[in-house]
C-alpha cells in the first residue's frame, strides 16, 4: 500500500486536520468505525488515536491499530 498524498489527506472526509505543536496531522475521525474487529478484540483501542503526517506516514497510539492499518487503506 502506498502512503497517501497530502492532497488525498486534505480531501478525505474520514480525517480531521489538526496542528500539534508545529506539525500538521490528519486524525482518523472514528477509530471504532475503521477498526471494529480490533476494538472488539481490544476494547481499549477505541480510546486511542490514529493519524497521518503530511508526508502520508501513519501513526497510532495502540500497537494493534498500527499493525492492522498495514492491511488496508483508510483515506
Amino acid at each position: 500500500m502506498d502512503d497517501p498524498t497530502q492532497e488525498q489527506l486534505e480531501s478525505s472526509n474520514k480525517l480531521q486536520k489538526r496542528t500539534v505543536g508545529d506539525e500538521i496531522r490528519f486524525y482518523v475521525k472514528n477509530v471504532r468505525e475503521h477498526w471494529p474487529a480490533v476494538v472488539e478484540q481490544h476494547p481499549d483501542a477505541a480510546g486511542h488515536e490514529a493519524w497521518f503526517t503530511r508526508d502520508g506516514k501513519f501513526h497510532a497510539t495502540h500497537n494493534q491499530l498500527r499493525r492492522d492499518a498495514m492491511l488496508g487503506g483508510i483515506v
Side-chain angles (χ1 to χ4, degrees):
M1 179 176 101
D2 291 334
D3 292 338
T5 65
Q6 185 171 350
E7 183 177 290
Q8 289 172 311
L9 295 170
E10 293 274 357
S11 65
S12 176
N13 64 355
K14 299 174 185 175
L15 304 173
Q16 178 184 39
K17 184 178 178 180
R18 291 190 232 161
T19 302
V20 177
D22 292 336
E23 182 178 57
I24 294 174
R25 295 180 180 179
F26 298 87
Y27 282 83
V28 175
K29 288 183 181 178
N30 186 339
V31 169
R32 184 180 304 273
E33 178 184 319
H34 292 287
W35 291 283
V38 172
V39 172
E40 184 177 312
Q41 294 171 14
H42 307 273
D44 65 317
H48 283 260
E49 294 183 309
W51 68 92
F52 292 90
T53 48
R54 287 190 327 175
D55 60 2
K57 300 296 180 206
F58 181 78
H59 307 270
T61 59
H62 191 277
N63 286 337
Q64 191 60 41
L65 296 179
R66 280 194 295 272
R67 284 186 216 113
D68 229 49
M70 303 311 261
L71 301 176
I74 299 165
V75 180

